[in-house]
Amino acid sequence: MTSSTSSFHPVIRRVALRTANAARLAEFYHQLLGLMPREESANRQNITLYHPVTWEILLTLIEEKNARPAPPDAPGLFHIAFLFTHLSDWRTVVRRAIPLAGDLHGASDHGVSWAVYLEDIDGNGLELAWDKPSHEWPWRGDQIQMVSRSLPLRCILLQEDHQRESVGTFSIGHLHLQVASLKEAEAYQTHLGLRVTQQNYPGALFLARDRYHHDLAINTWHTNPSASRPEHAIGLVGWGMTVDAASTASFWSDPSGSLVTLLPA
């Protein structure tokens, strides 16, 4: 199996998270992923983190000292997926995540990708992902048939990798949201130019642009339909993504109250 992922340009470009301690959260992402604070934000409450090789801004941490965790059954972030170009880099970061994050939440072979799940120190869900070559993806017509099979992580991590001089290339592969109703997919399709790529996975829908497996996912697995997200809760504030129809940046508030910045493709 080749060690490089398929060549897709990221659709989700950056994510904004509210936190009670931006410096502490920034240090976690520096240790896990090598993300660096922009010089002008290093000594401020809000910290912008960029990839040290690509210079792409991936995370903005918005500090509010009184921010508190949202109820676990409220709409919001399920996880941010960081997608690695090279399998060796994915293995390196997964090895690093085990002592840094403590217990991993799981490891799965989804048919299209390998994924390891964990949380950051604020409780935000994270996925470390590596895409299999696109010709191996299980398409059936215009629908992808992703699955969740056990991943033999211990054996995979025992494989040796060539030492790399710098952090590997990665981007935000997709965003997965916890929502009140799967009917909200209609709003994401209308405003973001996405289509449903898988609808036979219980309690979830997967959406993408073009022939990718998913750029955005939504689920109702743990959501209380009547629950609402507190205004100043720790976690997802918004995200930026490219939209084919956008000629200039514009904004949209999604059904859960996150601010989506629509960027020209």
Side-chain angles (χ1 to χ4, degrees):
M1 180 179 289
T2 180
S3 64
S4 298
T5 190
S6 304
S7 56
F8 283 90
H9 295 292
V11 170
I12 307 294
R13 303 306 297 268
R14 60 193 64 169
V15 173
L17 300 172
R18 184 181 291 109
T19 179
N21 190 328
R24 178 170 171 262
L25 191 56
E27 180 60 21
F28 172 88
Y29 282 103
H30 174 66
Q31 292 184 38
L32 178 67
L33 298 171
L35 297 185
M36 301 292 294
R38 287 178 61 174
E39 185 174 346
E40 66 269 24
S41 70
N43 297 314
R44 298 186 179 185
Q45 287 183 320
N46 298 344
I47 299 178
T48 300
L49 298 174
Y50 67 89
H51 191 293
V53 176
T54 66
W55 293 85
E56 181 82 12
I57 294 172
L58 296 179
L59 293 176
T60 299
L61 310 180
I62 301 171
E63 181 170 292
E64 293 188 23
K65 294 292 187 183
N66 296 322
R68 294 293 180 267
D73 59 356
L77 179 67
F78 192 67
H79 64 240
I80 306 167
F82 291 98
L83 179 66
F84 290 81
T85 303
H86 298 284
L87 181 55
S88 59
D89 295 327
W90 176 85
R91 273 195 291 256
T92 296
V93 174
V94 171
R95 293 185 189 111
R96 189 183 304 154
I98 293 172
L100 185 62
D103 292 337
L104 299 179
H105 289 189
S108 296
D109 178 346
H110 290 306
V112 298
S113 63
W114 288 352
V116 167
Y117 299 96
L118 62 149
E119 287 184 351
D120 69 17
I121 54 176
D122 272 3
N124 298 302
L126 301 179
E127 175 184 338
L128 305 176
W130 170 75
D131 272 351
K132 297 180 180 183
S134 58
H135 68 267
E136 297 182 11
W137 296 354
W139 286 100
R140 185 176 299 165
D142 65 352
Q143 291 285 293
I144 196 72
Q145 305 296 311
M146 288 185 289
V147 294
S148 290
R149 294 189 292 258
S150 177
L151 188 67
L153 188 60
R154 184 183 298 273
C155 294
I156 291 170
L157 296 184
L158 287 174
Q159 299 178 34
E160 294 186 7
D161 295 310
H162 296 294
Q163 294 294 322
R164 296 169 65 86
E165 295 182 358
S166 62
V167 65
T169 53
F170 60 87
S171 59
I172 297 175
H174 68 265
L175 202 60
H176 196 145
L177 306 177
Q178 184 167 297
V179 299
S181 169
L182 293 183
K183 292 182 179 179
E184 293 179 7
E186 297 175 5
Y188 292 106
Q189 289 177 270
T190 300
H191 290 275
L192 305 181
L194 304 176
R195 68 180 185 87
V196 175
T197 54
Q198 184 161 357
Q199 52 192 344
N200 64 351
Y201 207 101
L205 289 173
F206 299 86
L207 303 94
R209 185 172 303 150
D210 301 325
R211 193 74 172 171
Y212 195 56
H213 49 76
H214 68 297
D215 298 303
L216 184 73
I218 62 175
N219 77 66
T220 57
W221 295 329
H222 307 297
T223 320
N224 179 348
S226 62
S228 59
R229 187 171 184 82
E231 185 177 357
H232 297 284
I234 286 173
L236 185 66
V237 175
W239 75 91
M241 68 175 296
T242 58
V243 178
D244 288 340
S247 56
T248 58
S250 59
F251 304 94
W252 172 61
S253 183
D254 81 353
S256 298
S258 296
L259 183 65
V260 185
T261 304
L262 309 179
L263 304 168

